[in-house]
mmCIF file of all heavy atoms in Angstrom:
data_model
loop_
_atom_site.group_PDB
_atom_site.id
_atom_site.type_symbol
_atom_site.label_atom_id
_atom_site.label_comp_id
_atom_site.label_asym_id
_atom_site.label_seq_id
_atom_site.Cartn_x
_atom_site.Cartn_y
_atom_site.Cartn_z
ATOM 1 N N ALA A 223 -4.356 24.431 -67.416
ATOM 2 C CA ALA A 223 -4.027 23.699 -66.192
ATOM 3 C C ALA A 223 -2.658 23.038 -66.313
ATOM 4 O O ALA A 223 -1.913 22.958 -65.358
ATOM 5 C CB ALA A 223 -5.107 22.651 -65.902
ATOM 6 N N VAL A 308 0.163 32.673 -61.420
ATOM 7 C CA VAL A 308 1.037 32.248 -60.342
ATOM 8 C C VAL A 308 1.955 33.405 -59.956
ATOM 9 O O VAL A 308 2.483 34.103 -60.823
ATOM 10 C CB VAL A 308 1.902 31.031 -60.774
ATOM 11 C CG1 VAL A 308 2.956 30.696 -59.744
ATOM 12 C CG2 VAL A 308 1.027 29.830 -61.031
ATOM 13 N N TYR A 311 6.322 33.528 -53.916
ATOM 14 C CA TYR A 311 6.540 34.066 -52.576
ATOM 15 C C TYR A 311 7.907 33.538 -52.139
ATOM 16 O O TYR A 311 8.097 32.338 -52.018
ATOM 17 C CB TYR A 311 5.408 33.546 -51.686
ATOM 18 C CG TYR A 311 5.488 33.861 -50.222
ATOM 19 C CD1 TYR A 311 4.834 34.972 -49.699
ATOM 20 C CD2 TYR A 311 6.157 33.017 -49.344
ATOM 21 C CE1 TYR A 311 4.870 35.239 -48.339
ATOM 22 C CE2 TYR A 311 6.192 33.282 -47.981
ATOM 23 C CZ TYR A 311 5.550 34.395 -47.492
ATOM 24 O OH TYR A 311 5.579 34.658 -46.148
ATOM 25 N N ASP A 319 22.895 32.633 -33.983
ATOM 26 C CA ASP A 319 22.994 31.676 -32.871
ATOM 27 C C ASP A 319 21.769 30.760 -32.821
ATOM 28 O O ASP A 319 21.244 30.462 -31.752
ATOM 29 C CB ASP A 319 23.169 32.403 -31.535
ATOM 30 C CG ASP A 319 24.464 33.204 -31.480
ATOM 31 O OD1 ASP A 319 25.460 32.751 -32.086
ATOM 32 O OD2 ASP A 319 24.476 34.272 -30.842
ATOM 33 N N VAL A 327 10.475 38.960 -46.923
ATOM 34 C CA VAL A 327 9.627 38.327 -47.922
ATOM 35 C C VAL A 327 9.605 39.186 -49.177
ATOM 36 O O VAL A 327 9.385 40.402 -49.108
ATOM 37 C CB VAL A 327 8.176 38.157 -47.390
ATOM 38 C CG1 VAL A 327 7.262 37.625 -48.474
ATOM 39 C CG2 VAL A 327 8.166 37.251 -46.172
#
Side-chain angles (χ1 to χ4, degrees):
V308 172
Y311 174 95
D319 297 326
V327 174

